[in-house]
Amino acid sequence: MAATAQDSQAPLRGPEKKDEDREDETEFSPFYGIDKGAVLQEARVFNDPQIDPRRCQQVITKLLYLLNQGEVFTKKEAAEVFFGVTKLFQKQDINLRRMMYLCIKDICPGADEVIIVTSSLMKDMNSKVDLFRSNSVRVLCKIIDGQLLAQIERYLKQAIVDKSPVVASAALVSASHLLGNNAEIVKRWINEVQEAAQNKNNMVQFHAVALLHALRASDRLAISKLVTSLTKASVKSPLAQCLLVRYVAQVIQDSQPGANGEQRPFYDFLESCLRHKAEVVIFEAARAICNLRDVTARELTPAITVLQLFLSSSKPVLRFAAVRTLNKVAMTHPLAVTHCNIDMETLISDQNRSIATLAITTLLKTGNESSVEKLLKQIGSFMSDIADDFKIVVVEAIRSLCLKFPTKQRALMNFLSGVLREEGGFEYKKAIVQSILVLIQEIPDAKETGLGHLCEFIEDCEFTYLSTQVLHLLGQEGPKTKEPSKYIRYIYNRIILENATVRAAAVSALANFGAACEPLRPRIIVLLRRALADNDDEVRDRATLHLQQLEGKAGGPDAVQPRLDVNITAMEKALSDYLAGPTDKPFDISVVPKAPPPVRASGSSALGLATSTATNSSGGAAPTSAARKDPTAEYAELLRSIPQLAPLGEVFKSCEPVALTEKDTEYSVFCVKHVYEGHVVFQFNCTNTIAEQVLEDVSVAMDLAEASDFEEAFTVPLDQMPLNGVGQCFTVVTRQPGAIATGKIVNILKFKVKEIDPSTGEAEEEGYEDEYVLEDLEVSPADYVKPTLLGNFRKAWEELDPATEKEDEYGLGTREGLQEAVEAVIGILGMQPCEGSEAVPPNARSHTVLLAGIFVGYQQVLVRMSFGIDATNNVAMKLVVRAESIELSEAIHSIIQDA
């Protein structure tokens, strides 16, 4: 008899009963109104001379139910139950024995009681019944301590290689649980576990592979060796193969991609798994390839092909898994997924709404401009039938599509405003509002339309957070429109009708209109005077302050929106440090790094807004024209926290890590280049893999003979290189501010070695100086360019001075196709493709790519590249550059010439 899933406090009714029959015929759960005292009285049945197995099972079931409901047994009560259950070992009933095992595990007897039951469990371990043997292993490993474990170690090792799959699996799973507290003992079973990994039974092999990995979890090198051996062995279990695929993917993630297009380690294994006979292994391998860091289109192709076959499967779970994975791939590689569009179009009418939603959002990310209206019409037909979580996914996809095709903003904005008026939760409405905000910032033509939709939304908005956010945007963008007066009515209505928080935001928004629009100022002053009688302190205070400012006092209208030219995060840290230290000196704001100047863009007040806010529901960047990753933000806080580097100011760009050592060497070193206005900081991430040594005072010496434009300034050494962890040391070089200094740098890792005394485990006091030659490091012109997204490339191009334009033609040699040439040049320049121009249509013989970037010194540069390919696959390119100076345009051409 097993515990049911019914609510113990509610009657158990048959599902086939009609409403009128339920009053007459009602069945109650066996646990309804159960009482601990009564159950403990029933437990005395365990002491009967003639044991009734069925009745004992019922009593144990009730005891287990009470334990799982959180009922607390006193030590005396638990001991009585435990001793009663141990008396049932004399009965050989299989079902009763299983319930006994469960009861002993859940009661968790103390050390004194364990000794009593150990002999009975040991007897079961040597039983001829496999069920008794496997369960007794599980129970013993659950209740015994390290001392008793050492005594039965021999039996457990035998169980791991037992011929019975049930026993072997039980022993392997138990060993996995024992690893937490008895790792040293379990590690002695490594030979038996490796033998079990060759077992023909699927489940045994699965558990053995999992345990082998767990035994090496803290040693990255050992895991790499394990994965190497397992990929060469015959792992026939589909479940074990799935585990192995995950371990391989983790090893690949921990290693750097091969240089110059060299294939990653173990990629061949993942590709071979795509041809496995088990669907679960095929999908696991395809997903692993799609999730690889910096995966290329060539690596993705076999995985996409397999997932495309799954899209037409008769099994809903395979269709769902495939379309969800393709949806994620489309965020970063939309072009790779376009081949699956025809198959995904058939899934729009799938009975499973989840599959249909993922299919439509994937099509939104990969579709072309002409299919937008058709897709929107199909989405509208089922938006009301899906949950908010999936609606958010749709909204995110529409936002990305609008940024990709700005000319379709009217249709997409109308769709967003339509769904904004429908019923929905906070997160759903927040996603829509955030999308409209991004589109207003990035697409100038969408500003008036978007502000109008948001004004209508706040007229009937139940969420305070969203109302204040919209009011803030109206205060920022409304005064810049052609007719700012039309928004005042919507804002003032909030002062009359809303709660205090929204009223305060509305007062500030009105003040912004008064400060920016002098003709409207007298009317704004009249409206603000009415807010002086508000019953909330904050509203009254804001109205009083802004009235004084608009009337020319308290700093005047310019003080309504004060602007700081310092970095806010750095200022907060500087103030915290000032307050923490005992000093009588006044705070000096000159020590705070300046904020970078705003970058001119096509009607955008925050050029990077799309990349910072346009994120998908799982946390990745939205596919705004395949937005390039910018790791600068990840490192900025680290660099500011180092006192020697803080005076350098704000970092302009941080590059991707570059490996300076080969894989599996005794030291692992990666370099990250950080570009500043007049400096370049080289961050070296160092890892020691030799447990017998301690490395102290670690630094990297740089030979600048082939990079004469640089001059070494100082180094920040690492006190001690961590074992199997990551520590940082820094080398700082100077260059002329704004100059594009390049060259090859020779690097030498220097450190003091102290040997570990095997007897004490401590490092020796005296060490010796040593050094290790690293790979050369290249500083290229692309390191000085930061990709940035533009909503309207043509307008930004026209705003730049035509006198800075420089044009030239280049031959790129023989290529497989235009797409390969486009990707190669984009990679060399390190700039951001705009308006989806990085995707070359199939079979195209010519193509134009638009790129945007910011050069060091925050100078904007735009590039227009026209490609053509002849019958012999020779590619020619016409490169036209406009920038804020002719020198910068020439620098871009020099990057291509030197490539």
Side-chain angles (χ1 to χ4, degrees):
M1 182 178 182
T4 70
Q6 295 283 342
D7 181 2
S8 65
Q9 304 302 318
L12 179 66
R13 299 186 178 96
E16 75 284 351
K17 298 294 182 184
K18 296 180 180 179
D19 290 341
E20 57 269 21
D21 297 334
R22 286 179 179 166
E23 295 181 4
D24 301 328
E25 299 182 26
T26 302
E27 298 178 5
F28 288 91
S29 163
F31 306 117
Y32 183 66
I34 195 170
D35 178 69
K36 183 178 80 169
V39 175
L40 291 174
Q41 287 291 332
E42 290 184 58
R44 295 182 178 179
V45 71
F46 301 154
N47 301 317
D48 288 352
Q50 296 296 324
I51 295 174
D52 183 351
R54 183 171 178 77
R55 189 179 174 194
C56 290
Q57 289 177 51
Q58 293 174 348
V59 175
I60 293 176
T61 301
K62 293 178 181 179
L63 287 167
L64 291 172
Y65 174 79
L66 289 172
L67 286 168
N68 283 285
Q69 291 297 310
E71 193 73 51
V72 178
F73 283 42
T74 66
K75 189 173 182 180
K76 182 179 179 182
E77 291 169 343
E80 289 179 355
V81 170
F82 175 73
F83 285 124
V85 170
T86 57
K87 295 179 181 179
L88 301 179
F89 271 105
Q90 58 186 302
K91 200 71 177 176
Q92 295 299 309
D93 186 272
I94 292 178
N95 292 326
L96 175 59
R97 188 63 60 89
R98 295 176 69 185
M99 298 301 293
M100 290 165 53
Y101 292 135
L102 287 173
C103 190
I104 293 171
K105 282 176 66 179
D106 279 7
I107 289 178
C108 291
D112 297 335
E113 291 90 349
V114 167
I115 298 173
I116 297 171
V117 77
T118 301
S119 59
S120 299
L121 291 171
M122 290 286 292
K123 184 178 179 182
D124 280 359
M125 281 182 67
N126 296 305
S127 170
K128 294 181 180 179
V129 181
D130 289 344
L131 186 65
F132 289 2
R133 294 165 62 202
S134 59
N135 283 327
S136 61
V137 167
R138 287 193 175 94
V139 176
L140 267 173
C141 293
K142 169 77 173 179
I143 64 176
I144 61 175
D145 56 15
Q147 187 176 358
L148 282 174
L149 178 62
Q151 297 178 18
I152 65 166
E153 182 180 0
R154 178 170 59 89
Y155 297 100
L156 293 175
K157 290 167 75 173
Q158 291 174 354
I160 290 174
V161 294
D162 197 277
K163 293 181 180 179
S164 170
V166 178
V167 178
S169 279
L172 290 165
V173 173
S174 300
S176 298
H177 291 305
L178 288 170
L179 264 179
N181 297 320
N182 301 279
E184 293 303 320
I185 295 178
V186 178
K187 286 179 180 178
R188 298 202 292 258
W189 309 345
I190 187 70
N191 293 332
E192 286 75 16
V193 178
Q194 287 176 337
E195 184 178 340
Q198 305 303 318
N199 197 299
K200 295 181 180 179
N201 183 273
N202 288 346
M203 193 57 67
V204 174
Q205 195 174 52
F206 165 66
H207 288 142
V209 170
L211 182 55
L212 283 173
H213 181 268
L215 287 168
R216 297 166 169 81
S218 59
D219 189 342
R220 197 164 54 181
L221 183 59
I223 288 179
S224 179
K225 291 179 178 178
L226 170 67
V227 167
T228 302
S229 63
L230 288 176
T231 52
K232 295 177 180 177
S234 57
V235 179
K236 296 181 179 178
S237 165
L239 291 175
Q241 192 80 351
C242 286
L243 272 184
L244 183 54
V245 167
R246 293 186 181 184
Y247 300 153
V248 165
Q250 186 59 49
V251 171
I252 294 176
Q253 291 287 74
D254 292 339
S255 62
Q256 288 293 311
N260 303 321
E262 185 181 327
Q263 189 167 290
R264 305 170 189 259
F266 300 112
Y267 177 80
D268 285 340
F269 171 77
L270 290 180
E271 194 173 6
S272 68
C273 289
L274 296 174
R275 298 182 289 275
H276 200 276
K277 59 183 179 182
E279 292 170 337
V280 64
V281 177
I282 296 172
F283 172 71
E284 194 68 43
R287 191 180 70 160
I289 292 174
C290 293
N291 290 337
L292 290 176
R293 184 178 59 209
D294 301 326
V295 64
T296 64
R298 184 175 298 176
E299 290 171 331
L300 275 175
T301 301
I304 299 295
T305 304
V306 167
L307 293 172
Q308 186 175 6
L309 295 175
F310 282 178
L311 291 176
S312 55
S313 170
S314 59
K315 300 177 182 178
V317 66
L318 280 181
R319 297 200 303 274
F320 177 79
V323 75
R324 186 173 66 169
T325 306
L326 289 172
N327 184 277
K328 188 175 179 182
V329 174
M331 295 175 185
T332 52
H333 295 80
L335 187 67
V337 186
T338 52
H339 305 295
C340 308
N341 282 2
I342 296 176
D343 297 277
M344 277 187 286
E345 284 177 4
T346 63
L347 295 180
I348 295 175
S349 56
D350 197 282
Q351 293 181 346
N352 188 310
R353 292 289 84 186
S354 300
I355 295 175
T357 305
L358 288 168
I360 199 79
T361 53
T362 308
L363 286 169
L364 284 172
K365 294 167 186 172
T366 60
N368 53 40
E369 202 166 358
S370 60
S371 64
V372 171
E373 284 84 357
K374 177 185 174 184
L375 290 172
L376 289 178
K377 186 176 180 181
Q378 291 172 316
I379 295 171
S381 64
F382 67 81
M383 276 292 280
S384 58
D385 299 334
I386 59 178
D388 278 5
D389 289 347
F390 285 109
K391 288 180 181 178
I392 292 173
V393 175
V394 173
V395 169
E396 297 285 354
I398 289 174
R399 173 172 64 188
S400 303
L401 190 69
C402 194
L403 290 170
K404 187 176 181 180
F405 304 118
T407 56
K408 293 295 182 181
Q409 56 86 12
R410 185 173 296 276
L412 294 166
M413 190 72 82
N414 288 336
F415 178 85
L416 289 175
S417 66
V419 295
L420 188 59
R421 290 191 290 269
E422 296 175 358
E423 293 295 322
F426 170 72
E427 292 297 333
Y428 173 45
K429 293 295 181 74
K430 179 183 175 184
I432 300 173
V433 171
Q434 290 281 17
S435 296
I436 295 177
L437 296 185
V438 170
L439 299 182
I440 289 173
Q441 295 283 358
E442 292 300 321
I443 305 175
D445 295 340
K447 180 184 290 187
E448 300 260 353
T449 308
L451 291 177
H453 292 318
L454 292 176
C455 284
E456 294 176 9
F457 169 65
I458 60 173
E459 286 288 307
D460 190 28
C461 177
E462 58 184 307
F463 303 110
T464 298
Y465 172 82
L466 298 181
S467 294
T468 54
Q469 195 174 23
V470 171
L471 287 168
H472 174 73
L473 180 77
L474 287 173
Q476 297 291 321
E477 301 294 336
K480 303 173 187 175
T481 58
K482 295 178 182 178
E483 296 182 46
S485 59
K486 67 181 180 182
Y487 302 108
I488 294 177
R489 173 173 64 89
Y490 297 100
I491 299 173
Y492 184 67
N493 283 346
R494 308 281 63 76
I495 297 179
I496 301 172
L497 303 172
E498 294 287 354
N499 59 51
T501 305
V502 178
R503 295 201 303 272
V507 166
S508 295
L510 276 180
N512 287 341
F513 276 83
C517 307
E518 193 169 347
L520 297 177
R521 194 172 299 165
R523 295 163 57 186
I524 299 295
I525 290 175
V526 172
L527 296 176
L528 288 178
R529 289 190 189 282
R530 297 178 183 176
L532 293 175
D534 196 277
N535 59 5
D536 184 77
D537 293 345
E538 177 71 18
V539 179
R540 291 197 306 272
D541 290 348
R542 289 195 186 195
T544 303
L545 173 64
H546 293 320
L547 274 172
Q548 294 291 315
Q549 292 169 333
L550 294 179
E551 291 172 352
K553 305 171 187 176
D558 293 338
V560 173
Q561 285 185 291
R563 303 183 188 280
L564 291 174
D565 62 346
V566 297
N567 183 282
I568 300 299
T569 306
M571 185 173 183
E572 181 185 8
K573 185 177 185 302
L575 286 170
S576 300
D577 295 342
Y578 174 76
L579 294 173
T583 179
D584 296 330
K585 295 181 180 179
F587 177 74
D588 183 9
I589 198 170
S590 65
V591 302
V592 181
K594 300 292 184 182
V599 180
R600 180 176 60 186
S602 54
S604 171
S605 62
L607 190 65
L609 185 62
T611 53
S612 62
T613 58
T615 54
N616 61 56
S617 56
S618 62
T624 53
S625 201
R628 300 170 67 85
K629 295 190 299 182
D630 182 11
T632 305
E634 301 175 17
Y635 296 104
E637 188 63 33
L638 169 67
L639 296 171
R640 280 195 295 266
S641 66
I642 299 170
Q644 298 93 321
L645 303 180
L648 300 181
E650 194 73 15
V651 61
F652 170 74
K653 178 185 178 182
S654 296
C655 304
E656 292 293 335
V658 178
L660 300 184
T661 56
E662 295 182 359
K663 188 185 174 187
D664 298 338
T665 55
E666 54 264 54
Y667 313 119
S668 173
V669 180
F670 291 87
C671 180
V672 182
K673 292 171 281 187
H674 305 290
V675 179
Y676 288 78
E677 180 68 23
H679 299 79
V680 177
V681 176
F682 298 94
Q683 173 186 327
F684 298 96
N685 297 332
C686 307
T687 302
N688 176 25
T689 61
I690 303 177
E692 294 77 16
Q693 292 181 348
V694 172
L695 307 184
E696 296 180 350
D697 195 19
V698 183
S699 63
V700 175
M702 308 185 88
D703 183 353
L704 303 175
E706 297 183 42
S708 56
D709 292 335
F710 293 114
E711 183 176 339
E712 186 169 331
F714 60 90
T715 61
V716 181
L718 173 63
D719 293 335
Q720 181 174 316
M721 190 186 297
L723 178 64
N724 295 323
V726 179
Q728 291 91 19
C729 63
F730 300 85
T731 300
V732 181
V733 300
T734 59
R735 69 176 207 288
Q736 289 296 322
I740 306 172
T742 60
K744 184 180 291 186
I745 301 174
V746 178
N747 306 287
I748 300 175
L749 184 68
K750 296 192 173 184
F751 47 84
K752 178 182 285 187
V753 181
K754 291 185 177 180
E755 302 290 343
I756 299 290
D757 189 340
S759 59
T760 63
E762 300 291 333
E764 297 177 351
E765 292 186 7
E766 296 184 2
Y768 59 91
E769 301 291 337
D770 200 357
E771 59 184 39
Y772 186 85
V773 178
L774 303 174
E775 299 286 340
D776 293 348
L777 184 64
E778 186 85 27
V779 180
S780 66
D783 294 334
Y784 298 95
V785 185
K786 184 158 63 172
T788 185
L789 186 68
L790 289 180
N792 191 328
F793 183 90
R794 177 178 295 178
K795 186 175 181 181
W797 180 270
E798 292 171 353
E799 287 178 356
L800 289 173
D801 186 358
T804 65
E805 183 174 308
K806 184 171 176 59
E807 178 182 323
D808 207 344
E809 295 182 357
Y810 301 92
L812 304 184
T814 304
R815 302 279 177 169
E816 291 184 7
L818 278 183
Q819 186 65 50
E820 182 192 349
V822 167
E823 291 177 358
V825 177
I826 292 175
I828 292 169
L829 292 177
M831 298 173 71
Q832 173 66 50
C834 298
E835 301 180 8
S837 58
E838 76 277 16
V840 180
N843 303 319
R845 309 302 296 177
S846 63
H847 185 67
T848 299
V849 179
L850 310 176
L851 301 179
I854 305 173
F855 226 72
V856 63
Y858 294 93
Q859 303 176 74
Q860 191 174 45
V861 57
L862 302 179
V863 173
R864 181 179 286 156
M865 303 185 296
S866 300
F867 293 85
I869 187 169
D870 61 17
T872 59
N873 280 3
N874 281 313
V875 178
M877 178 184 71
K878 178 182 177 182
L879 179 67
V880 185
V881 183
R882 280 192 185 182
E884 295 191 6
S885 67
I886 187 64
E887 293 79 14
L888 188 53
S889 298
E890 292 173 351
I892 296 299
H893 279 275
S894 68
I895 293 175
I896 296 296
Q897 292 164 4
D898 297 339

